[in-house]
DNA sequence: CTGTACTTTCAATTATTTGTGAAAGTTATT
DNA sequence: AATAACTTTCACAAATAATTGAAAGTACAG
């Protein structure tokens, strides 16, 4: 396989992985491009490499910065901004976990706690009790996942690696 | 809050959680409905409760069965099929993990192994080496995640619970 | 202050994903 | 073998999400 072909295929695979996990394809492709690029590149370079518009490149880069997956590098004496990706996948995974916890776990947890406050007059007693029970189970589960993600988000790299090692050896 | 309102809100929250994780909103809503329903219900009941079409109800139910999240219950002497959800969230999480491993991790792993086979004539030696190195890192990471998910998928319920307990106490 | 070299925004467009519902398929019953 | 009761399929419609590109904004250099 040619080198360029290989790069392109990686970018596409990473892109479709992204879209099946609720991240826009382009954002994942930009991330892939930066993962395989060792020197910082500009928005212009990204536009060119992926054939995307200026606006799209800008939005994707900014979103990646928000997620903590890439950073801006300013070259002295140059207006242009350059971008560089975090290459360590453990760190990448932790940042994604942290971000998704904030965006998706928090809302569902708050919804769950609201939803348990039911006027007992408005339904069958037993059914309400069952429903509340189910909600509590979900809350409990979400709470544990939340705890785990929090732990991951603040843990140092080796902690997670060694945890995984432990889990997998057993 | 009224009981019906509470149910509706839970269904909606679960639905939007689904859509940010790459599961169609309706499929997640059907799942939510079945999670809070203790007796098996028919496709017709689902259509009515969620105001969705026959085709959509059927597809969502079938997908949930494929994922192992719900099962068909046949009532003796009745043509109609009834559906019942797995209520234990640990099991639910494991089945989702297993399914996504199969659908998303396997493709990326196979792509990664292909992509390392590069004709050395077609690019800068050092760049190719860097690229291969990065691919190997991703493969290694994916392999570990795969191992973990496999372990989860086959583990008994308590194994995961106690693992989490261990992790969180430490 | 003005021109230049960039970055950011956002309304309009385009692409993708979901959902619909009528028609076809299936299976049990008479 | 005809009917009835239900399930599945699929071409099209609707809804949603992503992308564009031109215009506006910013900051620096001279």
């Amino acid at each position: 396989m040619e080198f360029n072909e290989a790069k392109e295929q990686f970018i596409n695979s990473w892109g479709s992985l992204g879209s099946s996990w609720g991240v826009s394809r382009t954002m994942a492709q930009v991330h892939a491009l930066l993962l395989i690029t060792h020197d910082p590149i500009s928005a212009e370079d990204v536009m060119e490499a992926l054939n995307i518009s200026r606006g799209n490149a800008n939005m994707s880069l900014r979103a990646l910065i928000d997620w903590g997956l890439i950073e801006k590098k300013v070259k002295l004496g140059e207006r242009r901004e350059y971008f560089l990706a975090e290459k360590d996948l453990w760190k990448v995974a932790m940042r994604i976990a942290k971000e998704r916890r904030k965006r998706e776990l928090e809302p569902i947890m708050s919804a769950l706690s609201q939803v348990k406050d039911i006027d007992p007059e408005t339904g069958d007693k037993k059914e309400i009790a069952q429903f509340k029970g189910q909600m509590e189970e979900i809350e409990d589960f979400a709470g544990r996942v939340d705890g785990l993600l929090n732990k991951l988000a603040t843990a140092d790299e080796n902690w997670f690696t060694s945890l995984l090692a432990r889990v997998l050896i057993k």
Side-chain angles (χ1 to χ4, degrees), chain A residues 3 10 29-30 50 60 64-65 67 72 84-85 87 93 100 106 118 135 138-139 141 145 158 163 166-168 170:
Chain A
F3 187 33
F10 172 66
Q29 287 179 335
V30 172
L50 303 177
S60 300
L64 287 165
I65 289 172
W67 283 65
K72 280 187 188 174
L84 190 64
K87 299 290 196 304
R100 300 205 80 147
E106 280 179 5
I118 299 164
M135 292 303 109
I138 298 176
E139 266 188 308
F141 182 79
V145 173
N158 287 329
L163 165 69
R166 254 189 295 147
V167 167
L168 294 174
K170 243 206 130 176

Side-chain angles (χ1 to χ4, degrees), chain A residues 148-168:
Chain A
L148 177 60
L149 291 181
N150 262 322
K151 194 113 187 179
L152 290 186
T154 57
D156 67 287
E157 195 181 336
N158 287 329
W159 180 86
F160 189 35
T161 310
S162 75
L163 165 69
L164 272 206
R166 254 189 295 147
V167 167
L168 294 174

Side-chain angles (χ1 to χ4, degrees), chain A residues 2 11 15 18 25 35 50 52 63-64 69 71 75 99 108 118 122 125 129 134 144-145 152 159 161 164 166 168:
Chain A
E2 287 185 20
I11 289 169
R25 178 171 35 266
L35 272 180
L50 303 177
I52 60 175
L64 287 165
L69 302 179
E71 56 178 27
K75 287 194 187 171
E99 202 61 28
I108 191 83
I118 299 164
T122 60
K125 218 166 185 168
Q134 186 68 40
R144 290 188 200 227
V145 173
L152 290 186
W159 180 86
T161 310
L164 272 206
R166 254 189 295 147
L168 294 174

Side-chain angles (χ1 to χ4, degrees), chain A residues 112-125 127-133 135:
Chain A
L112 284 169
S113 72
Q114 279 175 37
V115 112
K116 282 191 309 174
D117 172 31
I118 299 164
D119 178 351
E121 302 298 305
T122 60
D124 178 71
K125 218 166 185 168
E127 278 182 27
I128 291 180
Q130 277 180 334
F131 177 79
K132 279 193 189 174
M135 292 303 109

Side-chain angles (χ1 to χ4, degrees), chain A residues 59-114:
Chain A
M59 303 241 283
S60 300
L61 288 166
R62 195 145 43 79
L64 287 165
I65 289 172
D66 283 349
W67 283 65
L69 302 179
I70 67 173
E71 56 178 27
K72 280 187 188 174
K73 281 280 178 205
V74 184
K75 287 194 187 171
L76 272 161
E78 271 200 72
R79 282 293 310 283
R80 191 174 286 209
E81 296 177 329
Y82 291 82
F83 301 89
L84 190 64
E86 170 60 57
K87 299 290 196 304
D88 183 324
L89 290 175
W90 300 102
K91 286 190 189 161
V92 168
M94 282 174 203
R95 294 195 182 147
I96 292 174
K98 186 178 177 182
E99 202 61 28
R100 300 205 80 147
R101 186 188 76 80
K102 195 172 72 196
R103 289 174 199 229
E104 286 126 27
L105 210 51
E106 280 179 5
I108 191 83
M109 288 180 84
S110 105
L112 284 169
S113 72
Q114 279 175 37

